[in-house]
Amino acid sequence: MKKLSLSKSKKIFFQQYAHYKRKKNSLSQEKQKEIECLLLALQKSLQLQEKIKSSELAQSLEFLAEKYFPKSSIERSVHFFFSLAIALALAILVRQMWFEFYTIPTGSMRPTLKEMDYLVVSKTPYGLNMPGRLSHFYFDENRVQRGDVVIFSADQMDIRDPNTMYFYIIPGKKQFIKRLIGKPGDTIYFYGGQVYGIDKEGKEFSSNPWINAIEHIPFLRFEGNSNAYYASSLFLKHFNEPIAKLHISPQGLVEGELFPNTTSLVKDTQKISSYDQIFGLENFATARILTEEEYLSFTSEDPLIKAPYYLELRHHPSLNQAHLMQDRGLQPTLGYNFSYIPLDEEHLQKIFSHLTTARFIVKNERAYRLGQKETISSPDLKNVPDGTYEFIDGKGSFVSFLGTTHELKPNHPLFSINKVLLFNLGIEWDTAYLPHKKETLFIPSRYSYFRDENLFLMGAPIFLKNDFILQKYLERERTKSSAFIPLAVPTKELIEKNGLRIPEKMYLVLGDNHAMSSDGRVFGFVPEQNIRGKASFLFWPIGSRFGFIKEPASSIWTLSNGVIWGICIISFVGYFTYQRKRLYRPLKF
């Protein structure tokens, strides 16, 4: 006979006592007396906390109960589903009001959080969530900090495929995790890969270390989302609101204009002279690397210096030269200015030493991005063994099925792959993004900007301001009407005029991995009621990122924490007090 704990013996006592009272009339007087004696003996033994004797009596009681009045299949099923319902209800309450375990499904928050990371999410930092409803018992806006890694619900938001199933049986809405950049009333402007802003009280902010430690780009494509058609017009949307529209004439000609005061995103579009001034778009360029042959075929511009590779910068998007292109469907593209910088061996090595890619899978020497499927345009990676890989800051790693990473040895076949290909395809892993032609919709998610007069790629200064090649480039560039050159740090007036305005009760969230994040730039602002909590602690994989999430510290001494912990303590104390009192009550047969 196995030894049961006192708590297990106590549980059997209460269960069988309740079961006996329902079934006693079906038993003879002799059998009733036998079970009642066992119940009384077990109660006395539990009161005296006699572990061994209680264990023996509890198991004898279970044996007699199963012998004299076994549970029917219906009773077992009812008991199972009733227990399951209680467990699910408690789990839902805990998940929605206190904490939950969260798994990262995509690379939108890399390098802070990666695919297959496991973390604890706290639901009490900002207030008390209402379970089962998109609302709060109360919410303290002052506890929300710029730089927090927040959790929010997709419910009633313009997010594709928002539905999910919790515990495989309960329909619900997906939750997403992003970094909070702007609060209600803020005006945001993007410059030098960083965020500059003015809060609703008129104070400037630009030195938040949790935000500035991450590179931020205000767009995925300069065109934004352009799938909203109405009659003969096509809308270009940023942050899920139309910023401009393209008119398509019966002759197929395309003309564009900014919306005059029909969007809340900017203070007054009538005072903005061109599309590229909005939010600071003029401070950024998309980038790809061309071979010398591609460079010569794309431009008639004489090279500054003859080189095997050139950095192509696409910048200053213009509505005046917008047109439609037939590339996997009819899509608009804006007019652009192009600039080219020769890349010598030193600059190529700098780029490759900071090379960062999406996490990708190699199967049968073909590569595709993790979370997607192999297609006809998946690139070939000859001699690379099957597996999951990634590059971060030039270091290649193999990713195990548990999400742990192992740095590749220098002789790994992946290092023999052309690094230019890894730069151009390292995010999308689609050969459509190779530079086949100058005018294309398929531009790699690589971005460039100036900060402190240095030219940045992948968050690193590749061309320093005193670099001879950069100086020659700037000399030529300044002769052009729309030059991609260093601009002054934004003033308060510029931010107020051209910045992104965040409405009341709304928040701006962005992914740390701007190249792979479908975030506020796509679905817009997050309503206050959708915010459910913040990421707290990463517990897998074990390694350098293990521990508290990189975000502003928040106090645990909050009203919401006090309420939740108070409810839990009172519930546990009340339950054990009630159980103890039940144990000492006289049994009624």
Side-chain angles (χ1 to χ4, degrees), residues 421-433:
L421 181 142
L422 294 178
F423 179 88
N424 287 333
L425 300 188
I427 301 298
E428 290 80 13
W429 290 100
D430 187 329
T431 54
Y433 288 84

Side-chain angles (χ1 to χ4, degrees), residues 289 307-311 341-345 347-348 351 462-463:
I289 296 178
Y309 293 102
Y310 294 82
L311 182 67
I341 306 179
L343 297 172
D344 60 20
E345 189 60 32
H347 296 117
L348 285 170
I351 292 173
I462 303 303
F463 287 88

